[in-house]
Structures are given as structure tokens and as C-alpha cells.
Amino acid sequence: MNEVFKKLKPYLDKSMAIGSALALISWDNETLAPKEAIDNTAKVIGILSGESFQTLINPEVKKILDELKGETDLSDFEKKVFEKLYKEYKKMESIPTEEYIKFSELTTKAGSVWQKAKAENDFNLYAPYLKEIIAYTKKFAAYQNSDGKKLYDVLLDEYEEGFTMDVLDEFFSKLKAEIVPLLAKVDEKNDEIDKSFIFKSYDIEKQRSFNRWLAEYVGFDFGRGVLAESEHPFTNGSHNHDVRITTHYYENNLESAIFSTIHEAGHAIYEMGIDDKYTQTILGGGTSCGTHESQSRFFENMIGRSEKFWEPIYGKLVELFPEQLQDVNLEKFILGINKAEPSLIRVESDELTYCLHIMVRYEIEKLFIENEVDVYELPKIWNEKYKEYLGIQPKTDSEGILQDIHWSMGSVGYFPSYALGNAFAAQMYHQMKKDIPVDSLLKEGKLEPIVSYLGEHVHKYGASKEAMNILKDMTGESFNVDYYITYLKDKYTKLYNL
Amino acid sequence: MNEVFKKLKPYLDKSMAIGSALALISWDNETLAPKEAIDNTAKVIGILSGESFQTLINPEVKKILDELKGETDLSDFEKKVFEKLYKEYKKMESIPTEEYIKFSELTTKAGSVWQKAKAENDFNLYAPYLKEIIAYTKKFAAYQNSDGKKLYDVLLDEYEEGFTMDVLDEFFSKLKAEIVPLLAKVDEKNDEIDKSFIFKSYDIEKQRSFNRWLAEYVGFDFGRGVLAESEHPFTNGSHNHDVRITTHYYENNLESAIFSTIHEAGHAIYEMGIDDKYTQTILGGGTSCGTHESQSRFFENMIGRSEKFWEPIYGKLVELFPEQLQDVNLEKFILGINKAEPSLIRVESDELTYCLHIMVRYEIEKLFIENEVDVYELPKIWNEKYKEYLGIQPKTDSEGILQDIHWSMGSVGYFPSYALGNAFAAQMYHQMKKDIPVDSLLKEGKLEPIVSYLGEHVHKYGASKEAMNILKDMTGESFNVDYYITYLKDKYTKLYNL
């Protein structure tokens, strides 16, 4: 180990340990903790978060990082760790501590105001907070912006390194041109598709046993992971030997838990596949939000909603629920779980419309970061965009602009990663089908070679390789949205017999 | 708040936060964490434990404590916090850091060696570690011993402030004189008691629902607590709004989970009853091991194994398991769950013999701390004492001297607290019966007044009041072993019709 790098080790280790503790506290909070503990837990989280910040952002670490800049004999691993930490450091250092604390307080408060505003359908309650969050976000982006980028590009770079408005504008304009008219055609035929069987009564204990089996079937390793339940499904991992996912069971919805489980298992399989040399280091997680989402959406949609995937296992589901599924053959089941309809709520939307929901948010974020806009105008803009792209309009702000938590947390520039993830997945899937016999593997119920293939090309690198390079090395070309559009068009043309 | 005390606050808060995180990690480890995470979790625990140590044991805290010694206007709360911290500080400070680290490494290693030795019935494997642990324990006790006490008294004081060998010698000699002959008489009549119904097959899902109900029935508040499952039942709490207990279900043992649940619920009810002013402070836990054990054993044995307790609820158990319990009336059930027999394993022993198991350990600890003894002689000494007090001898060291984990962890002087807890409970119970109509409350299924009574006299104080003062203020006299002996004699004379 490089002698200067060695000096960094205790700081990295302490940061890792506190990070692990915070991850566990958050997991516990969402899955098991007693209700009345919450205020006291918040105090613990506050103290440990402050401690975590100070562990890496302090004069001693700064000194070591400055020394490391001049080192020429760093190993690849050391270099990557340095670069990632240095980037984070520069960003945090650019923000005056006092402003950072004020912003933390603002977002904490905004979180509960947003919840109230959503519950009471009162955007005006939330608007002043949103306004202030936008102002801080622009200010912080300006602090970080040493090389004259556009501010929204600075924000995008935080979540998806190297991606800019230029790339995203092209991405979304193609989507708009192709998917908006496709959706219209699809929607015309929706009367023919009956998915009411999904909403019959399904015993939760039986769902539990099926979902547990299903997680393992797709590749979730229970020796390194936990599947639990929470209000909203999520993945939470400390490192590749401890990855946890949740799902949520509804008695009157068979597909909700199934696709949450597969989605979160996709995230988990990514984390579990990271090479042990990155375990408990800052390279030990996924490389970007979009890449993470590419893995979850690949398992959930590209594989998980395909007929081939269900061929060997649908019988098992029918066996568990013979009455509910007696008139539902595989074809009807596949149509049901893929039915695409314009809808208002992003998290409940289907594979075809999902990116249109993201497009609305992307355009609004661009607007309020790159332009001056009256926040009180945003609900109207939101509604108009829904009308334009999805053909429907929210009746209330609760099912409109108030639906997402992200902005209240100060996460601006994050939404595009959701859409990019789908596009990454389609590009990877296209290549995968050239390299391994995906369809016949699915039909034979052999998912291991698929997991291994992704492990080799994506997972094992952890955060040591940028999303763009992963895509390029795997598929031989840069990010290309066309695969995603072709995938959606092919899939829905066939499904809907267009 | 006193100005000097205020300076202590950030250190106390940070220590509390890290302590909470460590408690949760340990809970998670025993209940849910994936198997393969253990090595990585150990690393996190190591780092956070070191951090926790350094948070309170450092020159700045020392300076503040020295200043505080001279302060005259501390509130009661501040004074108690200071005293507790100062005592801990003096103890930790007396041990050279290097020796402390070596001892930590030794006990970590000894833990796994002990496990192996127990599994393979090989005391010689463990003996060198035990020898070294004893040597360190004596050395550390000598460091702390500023006022010429006997070394074992220094150790006892750590777990049960103010208790000495003088007190314990009297305690155990009375027990020996009364309980050893009582046990012999009891054992003569054991052929008449059939408890085979306990070991029939009891569906675990039904046991789960009964135990959950039972925990709530005795006073466990699920708004502030969690009941989960682990190999060995335990209680783990961060503060009075987050107290967690576990139990363990065996298909072929009805009583094991029931009495584990009540026992741990007793610990939890103590923690839950602590006043909110102590929440998340170093006074926010129970005041001593023995006092904690007094509460768990009170609920488990004095209440939980009494006929009055079961009168209103036994029908519920029979309803759940009608076949298994069809020939078991309440009387037979009560006899079954109270059957007392000489046995070899402490954690499985009954109410009557439990303290004899402790007596063996107490005498051996005294021997190896106060005298020079060849550790290789200890198994023989152990076996002879079992023969003398319980009338039976272990055939292997695994079911003899290797059965307990405590010494491998460096816990010497802890065992007596288990016995003292029972005696505290009997003394409290005697007083309680004078103050509230315990029997009729139990018969009416009203446990709340019993919980409140203990809350008022024991729980609410947390660690702000010493065990001895709790006993004295509650019962009007100092610790008095006679109540315990009378309790056992009365109970078993009646039960066994002696």
C-alpha cells in the first residue's frame, strides 16, 4: 500500500463503519423498529451523520488528499478511491459549512411539510420550501461549478457522471417522438385486455412463500441477504455480503409484491456481485443510480415480465392459487402483467409509460434550474405536460406535482437516472442476447448464466468503473437510446398485435 | 444546565449514539443478519467500539470531569451522571491502553476457542486462555483497587455496587443450609410428577401467536418494543422507547418459549418503565445486573409460574392446543412447569436449583481470584461441587465447566448477580403483597397495577438510584436473603405436599 494512502485508511474505515451503522438504522426504521422510537432514533441519526461528515471533511484528510495528488505510484484501486473521495471532497468543501447546515435543516423540515401538503392537497404550503430548496440547489451548484458548465449539468453529473442536458435532450426527444404515439395506439386496444384476475384475493402467507422462492430463483443469495417487508419496497446494503431488500404484500394485488421483489432483487444481485476487493470500501457499491436502476429494471421488466421467464414457473403460481387463476392461461397472465395505460402516479406506472413520467420531471427541473420560474406556476406546468405526453391530467396536486419526495430532500437531477437506467438495460440486453442464449436459458429456468454475465460485465466492478465505460466495454458503443426505443416498440407491437 | 456540565454534553451524546448503533448491530446479528456478513460486521463493531471508548476516555473529558469535581451547583441529574461517568472513567483510566487492547484481543480469541472446546469437549484447549484471562482480571482489579479491598470484592462491585464477599458468603451459606436438603426431599417425590405433556408436539405458528399475546398480557408495550426470535433469548434496548426481546420456539417444548418470553418481557418492562428524563443518557438503563434479573425472574417465576397467574389464561392455551392438553388440568400444568430436579445445565435449570448452580460458580471464582489455583484442576473442583450441592456430576466438561460463555468474555464476578436478582425479587414480592392485592389482581387478569407498582418503586429511577437504596426505600430494610429462602421453602413445601 502506498505510504500516503495508508494515512487515509483510518478515516475511510471509520467512515465505512458509521455508514454501515446508519444503513442498518435506516433499514431497521423502515422494517421493524417500534413506532414510538422514531424521535430518539432521529437524534442518533443526526449525531452519526454529523460524525460521518466530519470524518472525511476535515483539515487532516484535506492534507492527505493534497499529498496524494502528487503521488505517482498509486495502485489502480488506490487511484480510484482517491479520485472518488477527492471529487466528493471538492464538492463538500465548496459549500460553506453554515450554509450546508442550514440546508440540512431546511430539507428536514421540508420533508414533513411535503408530507402534510401531499396529505392535505395543499401545494401552497410546500411552495415556499420548494422555492428555497431550488435557490440553495442553484447556489450550491454554482459553488461547485469551477469550469463554467451549465448549472443543471453540474447537478446531473452528481448522479450520472458525464451525462448532460445535450445527451438527455436527445434521449427524451426521441422518446417523445416514438413513445407518445405508440402509447396512443396501445391505449386504443386496452379494452380488449382483462387483468381483473390480478386484483382477486390472494392469501398473504402464500404470497410470502412464493416471493421468497422467486427472489432466490432470480439469483438473490439468502446467505448474503435478507428479504423483509416495508411500506415502500427498497434495497439497503452495507456491502456485498449484506444486502437487504423489502417488498410489500397486498391481499388484493398479486403483481405488486412480485414485481417489487424482482426489482429489488435486481438491485441486490448487483450489490452481491461486486468483487470482494471492494467490500467495505467507497468503491463497494454500484457505480451510478442509472446503472443500479438498469439492473433492477432489467430483472423486473425485460426478464421478469417476459413470457419465457414465466414458462417454467407459472405453473407453480397456479398451483398456489388454483381458484384465482383457473381461467388465466400463461398468455392472459403475460398480457395482464404488461398492460400499459396512461396514468398519473409514477411509482405505479407501467413499463411503457414510465419514461414519460420522468420526462415531465426532467423538463420541469431544467426549467427551474436554468430559468427563473415562479414556483406557484409549477402545478399548472406539471398538469399541462401530463396532458401533452400522457393524455390525462391530475385532478389534484397530491396526484400531480406533490407525488414525489425527491425535491423536498434536495434531490434535483436525480429523476433522469430512472429513465437512463431503462435505456442502459435495453442496450445491455441487446448485447446479452448476442452473447448468450437468453431465451432458452429462461425457458429452462436457468438464470445463473444471466446473473454471471451481468456479474462479469457490470457487477464485479462496483463503483470502480464509470457507467459510460461499463456500457462501452460491454456493448462496444457509447450510450445509445435507440435500443430502448426499439425494445419498447417491438415488445408492445407484438403484445398488442399492432 | 451547569456550564461545566454543558461541555460534557457533546461527548455524552456521541457516546450514546455510537452505543445505540452498537446495540442495534448486535440485535440484528442475533436475529436477522445474513450468515455471511459476520466477518465484515465484526470489523464494523471493532471500529465503533474503539470510537466509543475514545469518545469518553480522552484528555478533554478528563479535564471536564476534573473541573466538575469542584462544582457545587450541579442538579441531582447532573451529579448522578457525573458520578457514574467518573467511576467508569477512573476504572478505564487505571488500565494502560496497551494492556486493554491486548485483553480485548485475548477475549475475542478466547470466545471462539471456548466455543470449539465446548463443541469438542476439550477443556485443555480452553485452559491456557482461561489462565491468561484470570491473570488479566486480577491485574486489572488490582489497578482499580485504590482502597485496599479484596480483589474479588473489586470485581463484584462492578456488577453489583456495594456487594461484597461478606454479604455473598452469608447469602450462599444460608442457601446451602436450607435449599440443599429441601431439594433432596423434593427429588424424592419427583416420580409422582408427570410433565411429559410439555414435550408433545406444539405447532410453532400457534406458539408464536400465544407468546406475542402473552408478552402484551404481562405488560410488554409493542409501541415501544419488538419481539423477535434468536438462538438464545435476550433483551436488547437502546432506551425506554425502543426495547427488544427475543424468544426461541421448540416444537417439542411448550414451556421453553413461554418462560423465555415472560423472562425477557420482565427485563423489557423494567427498561420501558424508566422515566423519560433519563432517555438516551447514561442513567437510561437498569441500575444493576441483579436488579435487572430481579425483574425478569419476578415475572418469570414468582408471577409467571404461579397458579393465580394462569387461572384466567390457562383456558386460552388449552383452546390453542386442545389435543395436547386434554388431560392436563390447571393443577397438573402448574406442577409440570414447577417441577424441580437436580440438573447439570444452569440455563435449563428450575427455580429451586438455579441458585445452587450459581453457588458453584461463585465459589470457583472466589478460589481463582483470591487464591492461586491450577486452572487444569478446575474441572475436577467443578464436578465435586455439583456432586455436593446437586447430587449429580457432569460426565463431560462440555456439560460441566465449559457450559458458560462468561469467563471467556472476561466476565468474572457477574454470576452472583443472577442469584442476587432472585433474592431481590423475593424481598420485593414480600413487600408488594403487603401493599397491593397481588393474588386477586392475578386472578382477575389485571397485571397493570403490578407493573405500575414496580414502575413506581424500581423502574422509573433507571440507573440514578443504586440497587441497595431501591431495596431499602421499597421494603424498609436492607438486603435480606431470608425472604428468598422462605419463598422457596413455602412454595415447594406446598407444591410437593412435603
Side-chain angles (χ1 to χ4, degrees), chain B residues 77-92:
Chain B
F77 172 79
E78 290 163 0
K79 216 168 140 183
K80 281 287 172 193
V81 169
F82 164 71
E83 283 166 3
K84 199 171 155 72
L85 187 59
Y86 192 68
K87 186 180 171 190
E88 187 66 16
Y89 197 95
K90 292 302 277 183
K91 179 191 142 193
M92 293 311 298

Side-chain angles (χ1 to χ4, degrees), chain A residues 9 13-14 16-18 20-21 24-28 31-37 39-41 43-44 47-48 51 221-226 228 239-244 279-280, chain B residues 9 13-14 16-18 20-21 24-28 31-37 39-41 43-44 47-48 51 221-226 228 239-244 279-280:
Chain A
K9 195 86 180 29
D13 281 347
K14 185 175 158 188
M16 174 281 291
I18 297 177
S20 283
L24 183 63
I25 292 170
S26 149
W27 159 268
D28 180 72
T31 53
L32 184 74
K35 278 210 173 59
E36 291 180 38
D39 289 344
N40 300 98
T41 307
K43 205 171 153 188
V44 171
I47 294 168
L48 292 181
E51 200 53 35
D221 177 355
F222 280 94
R224 297 171 165 221
V226 176
H239 50 72
N240 62 343
H241 292 263
D242 189 350
V243 187
R244 295 157 185 232
T279 308
Q280 295 187 309
Chain B
K9 194 88 179 26
D13 282 347
K14 184 174 159 189
M16 174 281 292
I18 297 176
S20 283
L24 183 62
I25 292 169
S26 148
W27 159 267
D28 180 74
T31 54
L32 185 74
K35 279 210 173 59
E36 292 180 37
D39 289 345
N40 301 98
T41 307
K43 203 171 155 188
V44 171
I47 294 168
L48 293 181
E51 199 53 35
D221 176 356
F222 280 94
R224 297 170 166 221
V226 176
H239 50 72
N240 61 343
H241 292 262
D242 189 349
V243 188
R244 297 158 185 231
T279 308
Q280 295 188 308

Side-chain angles (χ1 to χ4, degrees), chain B residues 217-230:
Chain B
Y217 179 78
V218 297
F220 184 84
D221 176 356
F222 280 94
R224 297 170 166 221
V226 176
L227 167 62
E229 292 166 42
S230 63

Side-chain angles (χ1 to χ4, degrees), chain B residues 441-485:
Chain B
L441 287 167
L442 289 175
K443 276 170 76 166
E444 290 164 29
K446 290 183 184 151
L447 274 81
E448 198 280 323
I450 296 171
V451 171
S452 293
Y453 179 86
L454 289 168
E456 199 48 41
H457 293 281
V458 184
H459 305 169
K460 71 174 186 185
Y461 299 107
S464 77
K465 188 171 179 177
E466 296 78 7
M468 279 183 161
N469 291 335
I470 285 179
L471 263 189
K472 206 163 186 175
D473 288 351
M474 181 176 181
T475 68
E477 61 176 315
S478 303
F479 173 60
N480 182 343
V481 62
D482 295 341
Y483 295 107
Y484 181 41
I485 290 170

